[in-house]
Amino acid sequence: LYFQRNVEFRSNVRSELTTKKLKPSFLRKLVLYHGKQLRLGEKVALVVGSSIWDLLIVENIQGNDFDDHLKACKEFVLTIRERYPNVDLYWKGTSSLHPHRVDCKEANYDYEDCFRSTKYLSNSRVVNLEEKQRKLMEELKVPYLDLYPAYYLSAYYMAPGDGRHSVPALNE
């Protein structure tokens, strides 16, 4: 499926999904990456989601309720539906984290960044967010793509010293 002519993939937004970042980051990049295809009016499947950045960015830690994140998720979905009625929307669920694989001396990024970003690296937070996102998507009638089990069983494929990034070969 991924390698068919009519399938396109773009890298992630590289930001947590909050009400402050929805328009300048997520909606702007949606138009930048896919605006032409979305405006053509043809039937399009669009997969969106946000999770790991929402869990690990220290400046954005929202506690257990994730209220602002969930409000932004809802606004994101409703905005896409309003602007692009031709889109079949799908929500990509959370991935798993692997704190047992973290070794900031081995990780392929700055030691201090590794240390800061792994402060909240726990699967209990992932499961909590996953349950809240799944419930919201059920309410919004958006199909939820549950990838957590696949990520959970893939610890072996994490980059050396890293508990959240896959080996580069899986990201190509």
Side-chain angles (χ1 to χ4, degrees), residues 151-172:
Y151 281 103
Y152 186 80
L153 296 171
S154 300
Y156 176 78
Y157 298 103
M158 293 291 102
D162 201 325
R164 62 189 170 138
H165 297 108
S166 302
V167 292
L170 294 178
N171 292 320
E172 295 176 354

PDB file of all heavy atoms in Angstrom, residues 151-172:
ATOM      1  N   TYR A 151       3.832  -1.516  18.041  1.00  0.00           N
ATOM      2  CA  TYR A 151       4.973  -0.777  18.590  1.00  0.00           C
ATOM      3  C   TYR A 151       5.482  -1.436  19.871  1.00  0.00           C
ATOM      4  O   TYR A 151       6.687  -1.522  20.103  1.00  0.00           O
ATOM      5  CB  TYR A 151       4.590   0.675  18.900  1.00  0.00           C
ATOM      6  CG  TYR A 151       4.554   1.590  17.711  1.00  0.00           C
ATOM      7  CD1 TYR A 151       3.348   1.973  17.144  1.00  0.00           C
ATOM      8  CD2 TYR A 151       5.725   2.097  17.162  1.00  0.00           C
ATOM      9  CE1 TYR A 151       3.310   2.832  16.059  1.00  0.00           C
ATOM     10  CE2 TYR A 151       5.697   2.954  16.081  1.00  0.00           C
ATOM     11  CZ  TYR A 151       4.492   3.320  15.529  1.00  0.00           C
ATOM     12  OH  TYR A 151       4.450   4.171  14.462  1.00  0.00           O
ATOM     13  N   TYR A 152       4.573  -1.883  20.706  1.00  0.00           N
ATOM     14  CA  TYR A 152       4.944  -2.489  21.983  1.00  0.00           C
ATOM     15  C   TYR A 152       5.813  -3.728  21.769  1.00  0.00           C
ATOM     16  O   TYR A 152       6.765  -3.971  22.510  1.00  0.00           O
ATOM     17  CB  TYR A 152       3.678  -2.853  22.766  1.00  0.00           C
ATOM     18  CG  TYR A 152       3.962  -3.355  24.154  1.00  0.00           C
ATOM     19  CD1 TYR A 152       4.231  -2.460  25.192  1.00  0.00           C
ATOM     20  CD2 TYR A 152       3.974  -4.715  24.436  1.00  0.00           C
ATOM     21  CE1 TYR A 152       4.497  -2.910  26.468  1.00  0.00           C
ATOM     22  CE2 TYR A 152       4.247  -5.173  25.715  1.00  0.00           C
ATOM     23  CZ  TYR A 152       4.507  -4.274  26.723  1.00  0.00           C
ATOM     24  OH  TYR A 152       4.783  -4.727  27.986  1.00  0.00           O
ATOM     25  N   LEU A 153       5.496  -4.504  20.758  1.00  0.00           N
ATOM     26  CA  LEU A 153       6.243  -5.728  20.469  1.00  0.00           C
ATOM     27  C   LEU A 153       7.505  -5.471  19.647  1.00  0.00           C
ATOM     28  O   LEU A 153       8.199  -6.423  19.283  1.00  0.00           O
ATOM     29  CB  LEU A 153       5.344  -6.722  19.733  1.00  0.00           C
ATOM     30  CG  LEU A 153       4.146  -7.226  20.544  1.00  0.00           C
ATOM     31  CD1 LEU A 153       3.210  -8.032  19.660  1.00  0.00           C
ATOM     32  CD2 LEU A 153       4.612  -8.023  21.753  1.00  0.00           C
ATOM     33  N   SER A 154       7.822  -4.218  19.384  1.00  0.00           N
ATOM     34  CA  SER A 154       8.936  -3.885  18.492  1.00  0.00           C
ATOM     35  C   SER A 154      10.110  -3.225  19.200  1.00  0.00           C
ATOM     36  O   SER A 154      10.900  -2.515  18.573  1.00  0.00           O
ATOM     37  CB  SER A 154       8.437  -2.968  17.380  1.00  0.00           C
ATOM     38  OG  SER A 154       7.429  -3.600  16.641  1.00  0.00           O
ATOM     39  N   ALA A 155      10.280  -3.478  20.478  1.00  0.00           N
ATOM     40  CA  ALA A 155      11.385  -2.851  21.217  1.00  0.00           C
ATOM     41  C   ALA A 155      12.735  -3.155  20.581  1.00  0.00           C
ATOM     42  O   ALA A 155      13.630  -2.301  20.561  1.00  0.00           O
ATOM     43  CB  ALA A 155      11.372  -3.317  22.668  1.00  0.00           C
ATOM     44  N   TYR A 156      12.876  -4.325  20.027  1.00  0.00           N
ATOM     45  CA  TYR A 156      14.136  -4.733  19.404  1.00  0.00           C
ATOM     46  C   TYR A 156      14.518  -3.793  18.262  1.00  0.00           C
ATOM     47  O   TYR A 156      15.691  -3.637  17.940  1.00  0.00           O
ATOM     48  CB  TYR A 156      14.008  -6.172  18.883  1.00  0.00           C
ATOM     49  CG  TYR A 156      15.213  -6.666  18.149  1.00  0.00           C
ATOM     50  CD1 TYR A 156      16.350  -7.091  18.838  1.00  0.00           C
ATOM     51  CD2 TYR A 156      15.246  -6.684  16.760  1.00  0.00           C
ATOM     52  CE1 TYR A 156      17.471  -7.534  18.168  1.00  0.00           C
ATOM     53  CE2 TYR A 156      16.370  -7.129  16.076  1.00  0.00           C
ATOM     54  CZ  TYR A 156      17.475  -7.550  16.784  1.00  0.00           C
ATOM     55  OH  TYR A 156      18.576  -7.988  16.122  1.00  0.00           O
ATOM     56  N   TYR A 157      13.543  -3.153  17.645  1.00  0.00           N
ATOM     57  CA  TYR A 157      13.792  -2.299  16.484  1.00  0.00           C
ATOM     58  C   TYR A 157      13.998  -0.833  16.845  1.00  0.00           C
ATOM     59  O   TYR A 157      13.975   0.032  15.970  1.00  0.00           O
ATOM     60  CB  TYR A 157      12.644  -2.440  15.479  1.00  0.00           C
ATOM     61  CG  TYR A 157      12.539  -3.847  14.950  1.00  0.00           C
ATOM     62  CD1 TYR A 157      11.557  -4.708  15.423  1.00  0.00           C
ATOM     63  CD2 TYR A 157      13.446  -4.328  14.016  1.00  0.00           C
ATOM     64  CE1 TYR A 157      11.473  -6.010  14.962  1.00  0.00           C
ATOM     65  CE2 TYR A 157      13.375  -5.623  13.552  1.00  0.00           C
ATOM     66  CZ  TYR A 157      12.382  -6.460  14.028  1.00  0.00           C
ATOM     67  OH  TYR A 157      12.318  -7.747  13.580  1.00  0.00           O
ATOM     68  N   MET A 158      14.204  -0.545  18.113  1.00  0.00           N
ATOM     69  CA  MET A 158      14.492   0.822  18.526  1.00  0.00           C
ATOM     70  C   MET A 158      15.949   1.152  18.205  1.00  0.00           C
ATOM     71  O   MET A 158      16.818   0.276  18.246  1.00  0.00           O
ATOM     72  CB  MET A 158      14.267   1.010  20.029  1.00  0.00           C
ATOM     73  CG  MET A 158      12.817   0.883  20.478  1.00  0.00           C
ATOM     74  SD  MET A 158      11.765   2.239  19.911  1.00  0.00           S
ATOM     75  CE  MET A 158      10.914   1.473  18.549  1.00  0.00           C
ATOM     76  N   ALA A 159      16.193   2.412  17.883  1.00  0.00           N
ATOM     77  CA  ALA A 159      17.569   2.858  17.636  1.00  0.00           C
ATOM     78  C   ALA A 159      18.396   2.641  18.904  1.00  0.00           C
ATOM     79  O   ALA A 159      17.852   2.689  20.016  1.00  0.00           O
ATOM     80  CB  ALA A 159      17.559   4.329  17.236  1.00  0.00           C
ATOM     81  N   PRO A 160      19.681   2.425  18.758  1.00  0.00           N
ATOM     82  CA  PRO A 160      20.528   2.191  19.933  1.00  0.00           C
ATOM     83  C   PRO A 160      20.396   3.304  20.972  1.00  0.00           C
ATOM     84  O   PRO A 160      20.486   4.481  20.645  1.00  0.00           O
ATOM     85  CB  PRO A 160      21.947   2.149  19.353  1.00  0.00           C
ATOM     86  CG  PRO A 160      21.752   1.751  17.925  1.00  0.00           C
ATOM     87  CD  PRO A 160      20.434   2.368  17.512  1.00  0.00           C
ATOM     88  N   GLY A 161      20.141   2.924  22.211  1.00  0.00           N
ATOM     89  CA  GLY A 161      20.031   3.869  23.311  1.00  0.00           C
ATOM     90  C   GLY A 161      18.744   4.664  23.348  1.00  0.00           C
ATOM     91  O   GLY A 161      18.570   5.537  24.184  1.00  0.00           O
ATOM     92  N   ASP A 162      17.824   4.368  22.441  1.00  0.00           N
ATOM     93  CA  ASP A 162      16.626   5.186  22.266  1.00  0.00           C
ATOM     94  C   ASP A 162      15.369   4.390  22.604  1.00  0.00           C
ATOM     95  O   ASP A 162      15.234   3.244  22.205  1.00  0.00           O
ATOM     96  CB  ASP A 162      16.568   5.654  20.806  1.00  0.00           C
ATOM     97  CG  ASP A 162      15.705   6.881  20.607  1.00  0.00           C
ATOM     98  OD1 ASP A 162      14.685   7.006  21.301  1.00  0.00           O
ATOM     99  OD2 ASP A 162      16.046   7.698  19.736  1.00  0.00           O
ATOM    100  N   GLY A 163      14.447   5.001  23.295  1.00  0.00           N
ATOM    101  CA  GLY A 163      13.211   4.335  23.674  1.00  0.00           C
ATOM    102  C   GLY A 163      11.994   4.798  22.905  1.00  0.00           C
ATOM    103  O   GLY A 163      10.869   4.401  23.199  1.00  0.00           O
ATOM    104  N   ARG A 164      12.210   5.637  21.885  1.00  0.00           N
ATOM    105  CA  ARG A 164      11.060   6.157  21.139  1.00  0.00           C
ATOM    106  C   ARG A 164      11.247   6.178  19.626  1.00  0.00           C
ATOM    107  O   ARG A 164      10.284   6.232  18.894  1.00  0.00           O
ATOM    108  CB  ARG A 164      10.686   7.552  21.626  1.00  0.00           C
ATOM    109  CG  ARG A 164      11.786   8.554  21.429  1.00  0.00           C
ATOM    110  CD  ARG A 164      11.480   9.872  22.106  1.00  0.00           C
ATOM    111  NE  ARG A 164      12.671  10.697  22.077  1.00  0.00           N
ATOM    112  CZ  ARG A 164      12.667  11.975  21.818  1.00  0.00           C
ATOM    113  NH1 ARG A 164      11.547  12.592  21.578  1.00  0.00           N
ATOM    114  NH2 ARG A 164      13.783  12.642  21.813  1.00  0.00           N
ATOM    115  N   HIS A 165      12.466   6.145  19.133  1.00  0.00           N
ATOM    116  CA  HIS A 165      12.723   6.188  17.694  1.00  0.00           C
ATOM    117  C   HIS A 165      13.148   4.818  17.174  1.00  0.00           C
ATOM    118  O   HIS A 165      14.009   4.172  17.763  1.00  0.00           O
ATOM    119  CB  HIS A 165      13.837   7.194  17.364  1.00  0.00           C
ATOM    120  CG  HIS A 165      13.482   8.593  17.722  1.00  0.00           C
ATOM    121  ND1 HIS A 165      14.040   9.265  18.775  1.00  0.00           N
ATOM    122  CD2 HIS A 165      12.606   9.452  17.155  1.00  0.00           C
ATOM    123  CE1 HIS A 165      13.537  10.475  18.844  1.00  0.00           C
ATOM    124  NE2 HIS A 165      12.650  10.610  17.882  1.00  0.00           N
ATOM    125  N   SER A 166      12.589   4.440  16.053  1.00  0.00           N
ATOM    126  CA  SER A 166      12.957   3.181  15.408  1.00  0.00           C
ATOM    127  C   SER A 166      14.316   3.312  14.729  1.00  0.00           C
ATOM    128  O   SER A 166      14.788   4.418  14.483  1.00  0.00           O
ATOM    129  CB  SER A 166      11.927   2.798  14.347  1.00  0.00           C
ATOM    130  OG  SER A 166      10.658   2.689  14.921  1.00  0.00           O
ATOM    131  N   VAL A 167      14.904   2.165  14.408  1.00  0.00           N
ATOM    132  CA  VAL A 167      16.155   2.192  13.642  1.00  0.00           C
ATOM    133  C   VAL A 167      15.892   2.895  12.316  1.00  0.00           C
ATOM    134  O   VAL A 167      14.772   2.828  11.781  1.00  0.00           O
ATOM    135  CB  VAL A 167      16.716   0.769  13.420  1.00  0.00           C
ATOM    136  CG1 VAL A 167      17.185   0.151  14.720  1.00  0.00           C
ATOM    137  CG2 VAL A 167      15.704  -0.119  12.724  1.00  0.00           C
ATOM    138  N   PRO A 168      16.883   3.583  11.768  1.00  0.00           N
ATOM    139  CA  PRO A 168      16.672   4.363  10.546  1.00  0.00           C
ATOM    140  C   PRO A 168      16.075   3.560   9.378  1.00  0.00           C
ATOM    141  O   PRO A 168      15.275   4.102   8.624  1.00  0.00           O
ATOM    142  CB  PRO A 168      18.083   4.869  10.201  1.00  0.00           C
ATOM    143  CG  PRO A 168      18.780   4.929  11.519  1.00  0.00           C
ATOM    144  CD  PRO A 168      18.233   3.774  12.313  1.00  0.00           C
ATOM    145  N   ALA A 169      16.413   2.306   9.237  1.00  0.00           N
ATOM    146  CA  ALA A 169      15.898   1.506   8.110  1.00  0.00           C
ATOM    147  C   ALA A 169      14.376   1.430   8.125  1.00  0.00           C
ATOM    148  O   ALA A 169      13.752   1.316   7.069  1.00  0.00           O
ATOM    149  CB  ALA A 169      16.498   0.110   8.146  1.00  0.00           C
ATOM    150  N   LEU A 170      13.749   1.519   9.282  1.00  0.00           N
ATOM    151  CA  LEU A 170      12.288   1.461   9.370  1.00  0.00           C
ATOM    152  C   LEU A 170      11.642   2.813   9.097  1.00  0.00           C
ATOM    153  O   LEU A 170      10.420   2.900   8.990  1.00  0.00           O
ATOM    154  CB  LEU A 170      11.845   0.952  10.740  1.00  0.00           C
ATOM    155  CG  LEU A 170      12.202  -0.501  11.051  1.00  0.00           C
ATOM    156  CD1 LEU A 170      11.752  -0.862  12.449  1.00  0.00           C
ATOM    157  CD2 LEU A 170      11.604  -1.438  10.024  1.00  0.00           C
ATOM    158  N   ASN A 171      12.416   3.854   9.005  1.00  0.00           N
ATOM    159  CA  ASN A 171      11.878   5.188   8.755  1.00  0.00           C
ATOM    160  C   ASN A 171      12.045   5.645   7.322  1.00  0.00           C
ATOM    161  O   ASN A 171      11.789   6.783   6.995  1.00  0.00           O
ATOM    162  CB  ASN A 171      12.550   6.212   9.688  1.00  0.00           C
ATOM    163  CG  ASN A 171      12.149   5.993  11.123  1.00  0.00           C
ATOM    164  OD1 ASN A 171      11.000   5.701  11.400  1.00  0.00           O
ATOM    165  ND2 ASN A 171      13.098   6.109  12.025  1.00  0.00           N
ATOM    166  N   GLU A 172      12.526   4.770   6.488  1.00  0.00           N
ATOM    167  CA  GLU A 172      12.743   5.136   5.077  1.00  0.00           C
ATOM    168  C   GLU A 172      11.515   4.895   4.252  1.00  0.00           C
ATOM    169  O   GLU A 172      10.682   4.106   4.527  1.00  0.00           O
ATOM    170  CB  GLU A 172      13.924   4.354   4.516  1.00  0.00           C
ATOM    171  CG  GLU A 172      15.225   4.746   5.222  1.00  0.00           C
ATOM    172  CD  GLU A 172      16.411   3.910   4.755  1.00  0.00           C
ATOM    173  OE1 GLU A 172      16.235   2.950   3.979  1.00  0.00           O
ATOM    174  OE2 GLU A 172      17.511   4.236   5.169  1.00  0.00           O
TER     175      GLU A 172
END
